[in-house]
Structure formats: C-alpha cells, structure tokens
Amino acid sequence: AEGGTVRLNVRLQNIDTKDTGMAVAIVGLPAGLKLPPDFKQLKDLTAKPAKGEAAVSYWEQNGRELVLYWRGLGPKQVVDLSFDLIADIPGEFHGPASRAYLYYDATAKHWLDPLTITIRPKN
C-alpha cells in the first residue's frame, strides 16, 4: 500500500570455480518505489564488520537503477542481500531490466526480467 515498505531481495552468485575480479549488479527499481532518504540499510551493507568483508564494496543510485559493486567474489560464492523500499506512488509499475557482470567484461552480462509492482492507494 502507498506509504508502506516492500522488501527487495537480491542474490548474486559466482558460478565459476575460481575467484573473480570486480563484479557489478544493476538492480532495476520500478517507478513508484523509492529508497529511504537516509539510505541506512545500504550504508550498513558497505560497513566492514569486525571480521571479513563488507556485504557490498560500494553502491550508487543512477535514476531508477541501484548499482552494487564487489571487489571480487570467491569460487561459487553466493551473496544474498535484502533491503526495504518505500511504496511512494500508487499504480502498476515496471522497472528497467536488472543485470550482473564482471566489471572488466561488460559484454558477458546476465539479464533478468524487469521487476513489477502494484501499489494500492491509501485508504
């Protein structure tokens, strides 16, 4: 419903048996949704824990696309992320197609169908 939150789950997987270089995932966000203005959850994903690496090396928003970067992925590594978006405008919306690729090999992209959402007006 308008004004509510919706959880977005993102999964990135290295399907190779060796380490990768930099990896990029571009998540297409449907119109009608927006990131929270404080970006807290995304900032938390880039915070380095006491042990290990941050869940995401860097992120940026480019219009309706959320761009996530990793310095590298281990063999068969799976990254699962979740964060909330705000249902801002009622209606039915589609986002741009999402994709993932190695930063230095943008010709080998893995594409996903656009995300869709229906946001009900407030009662």
Side-chain angles (χ1 to χ4, degrees), residues 45-80:
L45 291 173
T46 60
K48 189 171 181 178
K51 293 182 180 181
E53 293 292 320
V56 175
S57 299
Y58 182 76
W59 67 271
E60 63 185 338
Q61 185 177 6
N62 186 7
R64 289 186 17 223
E65 295 180 326
L66 178 62
V67 186
L68 305 168
Y69 299 90
W70 292 265
R71 288 186 178 87
L73 298 172
K76 299 290 185 182
Q77 181 179 350
V78 176
V79 178
D80 285 309

Side-chain angles (χ1 to χ4, degrees), residues 98-112:
S98 297
R99 59 235 181 245
Y101 57 94
L102 294 178
Y103 188 81
Y104 295 105
D105 188 12
T107 60
K109 291 181 181 168
H110 177 76
W111 291 87
L112 293 171

Side-chain angles (χ1 to χ4, degrees), residues 78-101:
V78 176
V79 178
D80 285 309
L81 309 171
S82 296
F83 50 90
D84 295 324
L85 300 168
I86 299 170
D88 193 40
I89 301 170
E92 185 173 321
F93 303 100
H94 304 275
S98 297
R99 59 235 181 245
Y101 57 94

Side-chain angles (χ1 to χ4, degrees), residues 27-44:
V27 181
L29 304 176
L33 294 175
K34 67 179 183 180
L35 290 165
D38 64 1
F39 302 110
K40 182 179 179 343
Q41 291 176 325
L42 290 169
K43 289 176 183 178
D44 288 348

